[in-house]
Amino acid sequence: MLNNRGIFIAGTGSYLPEKVVTNTDLAGLVDTSDEWIQTRTGIRERRLAAADQPTSALAAAAAEQALAAAGVSAEQVDLIIVATLSPDHQFPNTACFVQKRIGAGNAACFSLEAACTGFLYAFEVAVSMMACSAHYRNVLVIGGEKMSSLVDWTDRTTCVLFGDGAGAVLLQRDLERSATLLASRLGADGNLTDILQVPAGGSAMPITVAVLEQHLQFLSMNGREIFKLAVNAMVSAAENVLSECNLSIDQVRWLIPHQANLRIINGVGKRLGIDNERVFVNVDRYGNTSAATIPIALDEIVRSGSIERGDYILLVAFGGGLTWGAQLLQW
Ligand code: ACO
């Protein structure tokens, strides 16, 4: 990053809906078991949003926490970026609904879609916009998802994997401080759009009765293919940002991987050679909340006091697109 001096995370927040759904609960819905889900994914339970809680409601709750942590009022926010693949509507963008919910009437707003890598993309975009313009002094970057609205609750191969939630950070600039984002490496492979997607509901396949009958409005994926590609993509992006900063994995306080599956997380940790206790895991409690997993994890680490100024944090993610990325932060 060339001109990101002084851009730092002034506050974090997260929100998980109250309703807890266990693996055993799901076994009453589809042909599955707690044992199968835990062994294959590490997930024990997930949170599901209420019918009257769209993604913007989860995102707004996380944003309010980040603002409170930073001691900033909603009116002071200049920009809101929401990374999501489960927007409230096709348009207007979800950040506008967040703006209305929190009362951030002075903020520019847009949403960004890069599936589970969305927060990393949004974070780099936010830092870049701040680096380009002094106008952006208080910037909310949010990853929020209501995955339960995209999941086919009759498909056991996908419905057990996902959950709802949101995480947020508030970025500010203080030239007395060093930059938080030290290096970023984002990638994508558009040849693999079909292995993880929601086939219908966009301009390529508008909703029709036939679409609904075939459940094409829901998420579909080739889990095995994703599994193979995910570990390689994340490890290589992580190695790139470490070498760009001349750091070794031993110097990293926390690896925060996208929380999709414990076996993928363990695979990445093992390949990078980092001790398990420095690999953050909460997939057991929340499942895969897509673009929200990384900011939720960051907030949990901050609130538990397990991070100190100067610590290095390595973020790695992958998702539909395929998209992937790694970022090295210094707290
Ligand atoms: N309960 C019981 N059995 C199941 C379930 C379930 N919930 N789901 C699938 N099975 C069955 C299958 O039908 C199959 O049965 P069969 O052998 O009789 O055909 C068997 O279990 C094995 O299925 P696989 O798909 O081969 O199981 P696998 O070991 O690959 O695990 C899993 C599946 C957990 C999905 C794994 O592949 C995975 O985690 N992949 C990565 C997926 C992922 O991370 N997706 C999110 C990407 S992020 C984003 O952008 C949204």
Side-chain angles (χ1 to χ4, degrees):
M1 300 292 299
L2 289 178
N3 185 26
N4 65 340
R5 192 160 69 93
I7 298 172
F8 74 103
I9 295 175
T12 63
S14 60
Y15 174 79
L16 280 309
E18 278 170 30
K19 186 177 179 188
V20 177
V21 176
T22 65
N23 293 343
T24 308
D25 294 333
L26 290 182
L29 206 63
V30 289
D31 182 14
T32 190
S33 66
D34 179 44
E35 195 269 333
W36 192 97
I37 300 170
Q38 284 215 43
T39 318
R40 304 281 174 135
T41 71
I43 299 167
R44 287 187 290 117
E45 58 190 39
R46 71 285 294 142
R47 303 293 186 90
L48 298 191
D52 63 354
Q53 279 184 309
T55 295
S56 67
L58 315 181
E64 277 169 345
Q65 275 199 15
L67 290 176
V72 167
S73 73
E75 298 82 41
Q76 290 174 283
V77 175
D78 307 298
L79 173 66
I80 304 172
I81 308 177
V82 176
T84 187
L85 58 70
S86 49
D88 286 21
H89 298 271
Q90 286 242 352
F91 81 96
N93 75 70
T94 302
C96 289
F97 292 99
V98 173
Q99 186 213 46
K100 182 178 172 195
R101 284 177 185 274
I102 66 174
N106 297 311
C109 295
F110 69 96
S111 299
L112 176 158
E113 199 277 284
C116 302
T117 320
F119 182 79
L120 268 54
Y121 273 78
F123 193 68
E124 185 167 354
V125 168
V127 170
S128 305
M129 288 178 73
M130 292 178 81
C132 282
S133 166
H135 171 70
Y136 302 116
R137 287 157 305 178
N138 289 296
V139 175
L140 273 171
V141 187
I142 309 169
E145 304 281 12
K146 186 172 182 177
M147 294 304 288
S148 58
S149 65
L150 290 179
V151 162
D152 182 348
W153 290 101
T154 64
D155 176 9
R156 69 175 182 174
T157 67
T158 53
C159 76
V160 301
L161 304 175
F162 296 96
D164 303 332
V169 300
L170 183 86
L171 288 174
Q172 286 183 335
R173 187 165 206 167
D174 174 355
L175 292 176
E176 302 297 310
R177 294 185 58 142
S178 48
T180 296
L181 180 59
L182 302 184
S184 176
R185 193 61 64 99
L186 302 175
D189 187 348
N191 292 310
L192 298 169
T193 47
D194 58 342
I195 69 172
L196 177 54
Q197 62 172 333
V198 175
S203 57
M205 195 187 292
I207 299 287
T208 60
V209 172
V211 157
L212 297 177
E213 281 169 359
Q214 293 171 74
H215 291 202
L216 295 173
Q217 75 276 29
F218 295 127
L219 180 149
S220 77
M221 71 172 192
N222 179 338
R224 268 193 194 174
E225 273 308 300
I226 296 167
F227 201 121
K228 277 190 274 175
L229 295 160
V231 176
N232 286 338
M234 285 192 283
V235 168
S236 139
E239 286 172 346
N240 277 320
V241 292
L242 284 171
S243 90
E244 192 178 323
C245 299
N246 287 319
L247 287 173
S248 80
I249 193 73
D250 298 334
Q251 294 167 275
V252 171
R253 173 71 186 89
W254 283 109
L255 171 66
I256 305 184
H258 169 50
Q259 308 283 311
N261 179 314
L262 189 59
R263 285 151 66 210
I264 295 178
I265 292 170
N266 288 340
V268 171
K270 197 169 166 198
R271 285 263 303 276
L272 287 173
I274 185 167
D275 299 338
N276 276 344
E277 59 270 21
R278 288 187 287 132
V279 180
F280 188 83
V281 175
N282 63 12
V283 70
D284 53 328
R285 288 178 284 140
Y286 306 141
N288 180 351
T289 58
S290 185
T293 66
I294 287 184
I296 291 172
L298 196 56
D299 185 51
E300 291 199 331
I301 286 174
V302 170
R303 283 175 197 273
S304 66
S306 343
I307 194 162
E308 283 172 28
R309 195 85 175 259
D311 282 348
Y312 294 109
I313 309 168
L314 181 57
L315 312 178
V316 290
F318 72 98
L322 289 184
T323 56
W324 61 84
Q327 285 171 348
L328 194 69
L329 313 188
Q330 187 168 27
W331 198 246

